[in-house]
Each structure stands twice: as C-alpha cells, then as structure tokens.
Amino acid sequence: MFFAHVRKIQSTDESGFRTDGLLQKIHTLVEQFLRVSPDAYTDALHASLRGISAAQIADAMSSHLRIGVEEKQELLETFSVSERLQKLIDILEAEIEKRQLDRTIHSRTKKQMDKHQREYYLNEQIKAIHKELGRKDEKAELEDLKNPGVGKTSLGKSIANATGRKFMRLALGGVHDEAEIRGHRRTYIGALPGQIVQLMKRAGTVNPVILLDEVDKLGRDFRGDPSAALLEVLDPEQNNTFRDHYLDVDYDLSNVFFIATANVLHTIPPALQDRLEILNLSGYTEREKLEIAKRHLISKQCENTGIDPEKVKFTDDGILETIRHYTREAGVRNLEREIGSCLRKIARKYVVSDTKDDFKVVIDAEKVRELLGTIRFRKQDIARKSEIGP
C-alpha cells in the first residue's frame, strides 16, 4: 500500500487593489472567451465567477476550463492567489487568441467556398443559357478539345456530335452468345431483348450512332455465332427488317449509323468484313507521342500520383527514351502507364525526403533507365539506318 504525509496549506487573505484588479481582468476575459467560444460551458464559467473569495474563483475557473492536466496541476501547485489569478489570465488570453484565429481561418475558408459556389452557380447558368440558345460555350469547347485524344470511341462521339445524333456504345469483347444480339425467345425464363434493341430503347430515337466496340474480339460456342447475327444488323439490304427473337416482329435499323471498331482484321469473319467499309487509322508517330505526353499524359499522371508538376520535369530525351525502349504500340496507353510508374517512384522519394521545399527531379534518359529498369525493346537494325537522300 502507499503511504503519504499530508500537510494542510494555510490559506492567506490576499484581498486588495491588486487582487481586485486581477479579478476584474478575469471577468472581462471570460466574457470575451464566451463570445468567441460558443461551445464553452457558459453556465459553469459564470457560476465560477460568483465564488466567495478570489481563491475559490481561481480554483473553480481552473476546473471548468478545457486545458491540459499539466496546466491544471501547475495552477494547483501555485499557492499564492495573485500568482494563480495571473496564470489564469495568461491562459484565458492564449485561449481567446487561439479561438479568434480559428474563427478567422473558418471565416476566410467560408468566403472562399462561397466564392467558388457562386462561380459554379454562374457557370452553370451560362451553360444553361448557351444550351437554350443552341450555342456552345467557348471555354467548354476548348476543354473538350484539350481532353478524351483521337481514340476510336472519341471518333464515334465526334461523328454523333457532328450529325446531331444520340451516341450509344455496345462492347462486344467476349460476347459469344447469339442471343446477346438477337435476344431470347419469350418462352425462356428471364428472357430479354437483344442488346441492339435495348440500345435503341435507351437512345429513344430511331437514328442514333451506335458504336460496336471491339468487333474483332467476338467469340462463338454452342449457343451460336454472334458475328453471324451481326450480318443482318450491318447489312443495309436486310436491316430494315431485323427480327429480334424477344419482340418477334420486324424492326427497322436502316436509319442507324453503325460504327464498328477493331484492332486487327484477321479475326473478323470475311462475310462480316464484306458488310463493313474498312477505314485504317494510322498509329501515332514518335513526335506525336512526345507532344501528347508533354501536353496531356504527364500532367494527368502527376494529378493521379498526387505530386506537384513543379517538382518534376520530364526532358524530351527522357520521354523519347520511354517511347523507344519501354513501349511498342500504335497508341499511347503503355506510354501513359510507364510515365505513371516513373512518377509513383518519384512520389515515394518525395514522401521520405527531408527537404520537401527544395525537392525537384529532372527525368532525363538516364533517370528513366534508373526508374524503369532494364530496356525492354531495342531498335531494329533497319530502323537505325538513315533512309534520307538518294
């Protein structure tokens, strides 16, 4: 068990002009504290000011203030009443200053939020007005040009916008059931119309633009050949009487603008190719990939990895090194992935860095090899030989 020697402290009467002045100061500070701190215990603080003596007021005030245990212990160990009151005054002034600072920050943040909300509201109104007038906002048009690239899906959307039609997309990758195209007969449990009729229903119009994405990745099994079902859909001589198994009536698809996308042609059946007008889109050149990376991919990946673009700079040599030796593709999907891989490793170094303010990395060809490791692709000998001139 614990033993303790206890000695009662003899309280002394310290009334006088100094004590009265300190008490008056505490009264003033408590009123200020309650004004800037609405979550304080108002009744308890007011009750503590009604103590019989200055010592009682100081002790009651100490117990009701939301201060740390160390500060309360320090007040408890201060025997002199006037010193205790002075320490309370210092604590109250510090708390008032902190609460005022919090209110200032909150007020400033609220003003900024109100400003952003007002700007958002006005921008939405401008968009609504332009839409009602049939115009397009110039800023929104610029943003559209800056964002989606020249991908196949984007091309389909552009055709839909240019012709003033609804745009619908059907992903055909992995489809191996003919019923996905033609629908199920209503005698089956859980029967549904085919995807073509469902798209027409969602479009709400008879002449949408329908993008048949990844038509080269259609499969086939015992449930039928979906590519054969597409023959009737894409044949302009037959699709005016397209028959869905669920509807079991002729449906006119002749007004629909069908666009089919594919990466290779050899997996598309010859009969289906005959129904298509094939347009070959060339891949990006090395210089085009470089510009796309500088203008779009790097900033996008900086945002995804949470690193400030000012902290990282890709040189042209660094981007070209990534294009030539770490990717081999017609598009820029793998290029974007490799840039993101570099930036994630830089972001990890930034997190553990002791000098974050002075942190800055230049990613050149040598740095790319350090970040991405062993070269994956080497230039073929035929590409090394210059073909300029006679």
Side-chain angles (χ1 to χ4, degrees):
M1 65 181 68
F2 293 100
F3 292 91
H5 294 283
V6 179
R7 180 169 57 88
K8 187 176 181 181
I9 297 173
Q10 298 296 327
S11 59
T12 56
D13 185 13
E14 296 187 22
S15 59
F17 292 111
R18 174 174 169 73
T19 305
D20 293 341
L22 292 173
L23 285 174
Q24 185 63 37
K25 180 69 174 176
I26 286 178
H27 276 270
T28 306
L29 289 175
V30 167
E31 294 299 328
Q32 291 181 15
F33 178 73
L34 292 175
R35 280 200 297 270
V36 298
S37 180
D39 58 336
Y41 296 111
T42 307
D43 295 337
L45 289 175
H46 278 304
S48 64
L49 292 174
R50 294 194 288 268
I52 299 172
S53 65
Q56 286 183 345
I57 292 175
D59 293 341
M61 187 72 61
S62 303
S63 65
H64 292 308
L65 284 175
R66 293 178 179 174
I67 55 178
V69 177
E70 294 82 4
E71 291 176 294
K72 289 187 177 182
Q73 181 67 28
E74 186 180 351
L75 286 169
L76 186 63
E77 293 174 359
T78 304
F79 301 149
S80 172
V81 177
S82 59
E83 290 181 14
R84 211 180 315 162
L85 292 174
Q86 184 60 55
K87 287 184 179 180
L88 270 176
I89 289 172
D90 295 339
I91 291 172
L92 283 169
E93 286 178 341
E95 290 295 318
I96 289 170
E97 188 173 351
K98 285 193 289 187
R99 297 304 175 98
Q100 286 177 337
L101 182 60
D102 289 341
R103 290 184 67 180
T104 303
I105 294 172
H106 177 73
S107 176
R108 190 177 302 161
T109 305
K110 187 174 184 300
K111 284 181 181 178
Q112 290 177 350
M113 289 179 62
D114 291 343
K115 181 183 177 183
H116 291 317
Q117 288 174 348
R118 181 171 175 272
E119 288 177 355
Y120 173 78
Y121 177 69
L122 290 175
N123 284 329
E124 290 299 315
Q125 280 190 324
I126 290 171
K127 288 179 185 178
I129 292 170
H130 279 288
K131 186 175 180 181
E132 192 66 28
L133 294 175
R135 301 179 193 163
K136 191 165 185 179
D137 185 12
E138 291 181 4
K139 186 177 180 181
E141 191 170 359
L142 285 174
E143 288 299 319
D144 289 345
L145 291 174
K146 286 181 181 178
N147 296 329
V150 289
K152 300 185 289 291
T153 305
S154 304
L155 186 60
K157 290 180 180 178
S158 299
I159 293 173
N161 291 332
T163 56
R165 299 185 179 195
K166 284 280 189 69
F167 176 78
M168 305 301 293
R169 175 180 172 273
L170 174 58
L172 295 176
V175 172
H176 47 76
D177 187 355
E178 183 183 353
E180 291 286 331
I181 307 298
R182 289 190 179 275
H184 303 82
R185 298 195 181 277
R186 279 175 286 181
T187 54
Y188 290 100
I189 296 174
L192 288 170
Q195 292 289 344
I196 299 295
V197 171
Q198 290 186 44
L199 283 178
M200 296 296 293
K201 180 183 177 182
R202 289 205 298 271
T205 178
V206 296
N207 63 344
V209 174
I210 294 182
L211 181 75
L212 303 174
D213 210 2
E214 309 291 356
V215 74
D216 57 326
K217 294 179 177 60
L218 282 169
R220 58 184 298 179
D221 59 11
F222 65 93
R223 286 169 289 191
D225 185 0
S227 62
L230 282 177
L231 295 177
E232 186 181 356
V233 173
L234 298 175
D235 193 336
E237 301 298 327
Q238 302 179 34
N239 63 6
N240 59 340
T241 57
F242 172 73
R243 184 172 287 263
D244 185 273
H245 288 158
Y246 185 86
L247 298 180
D248 202 25
V249 293
D250 292 342
Y251 191 86
D252 188 0
L253 295 174
S254 59
N255 293 321
V256 180
F257 195 135
F258 286 104
I259 303 171
T261 68
N263 293 320
V264 294
L265 286 174
H266 64 270
T267 57
I268 303 176
L272 186 57
Q273 289 190 41
D274 289 341
R275 268 73 175 181
L276 302 171
E277 181 180 346
I278 298 173
L279 302 176
N280 292 309
L281 301 178
S282 60
Y284 294 116
T285 64
E286 193 175 86
R287 180 57 56 182
E288 287 172 335
K289 290 181 180 179
L290 174 64
E291 291 300 319
I292 290 171
K294 288 164 65 175
R295 298 184 188 185
H296 303 290
L297 303 184
I298 294 173
S299 58
K300 179 181 176 183
Q301 287 302 315
C302 280
E303 183 179 353
N304 289 343
T305 54
I307 191 167
D308 186 357
E310 299 295 328
K311 302 289 185 184
V312 181
K313 177 176 174 56
F314 271 89
T315 65
D316 288 1
D317 289 341
I319 300 172
L320 290 173
E321 177 72 15
T322 310
I323 294 170
R324 291 168 181 168
H325 295 142
Y326 294 91
T327 63
R328 183 171 287 174
E329 57 180 345
V332 292
R333 184 174 292 131
N334 286 326
L335 174 60
E336 182 177 4
R337 190 177 293 121
E338 298 300 334
I339 289 173
S341 178
C342 289
L343 289 174
R344 283 193 296 274
K345 293 176 182 178
I346 296 297
R348 186 174 59 188
K349 292 181 179 180
Y350 174 75
V351 169
V352 299
S353 173
D354 295 329
T355 57
K356 291 185 169 56
D357 293 336
D358 300 328
F359 186 89
K360 190 171 180 66
V361 177
V362 177
I363 303 179
D364 53 12
E366 184 179 352
K367 191 69 174 178
V368 166
R369 289 192 290 271
E370 177 190 332
L371 293 170
L372 297 182
T374 308
I375 289 175
R376 295 172 199 161
F377 304 103
R378 297 186 182 276
K379 274 195 169 183
Q380 298 176 354
D381 291 336
I382 193 171
R384 295 177 184 172
K385 185 179 178 181
S386 175
E387 298 182 357
I388 301 172

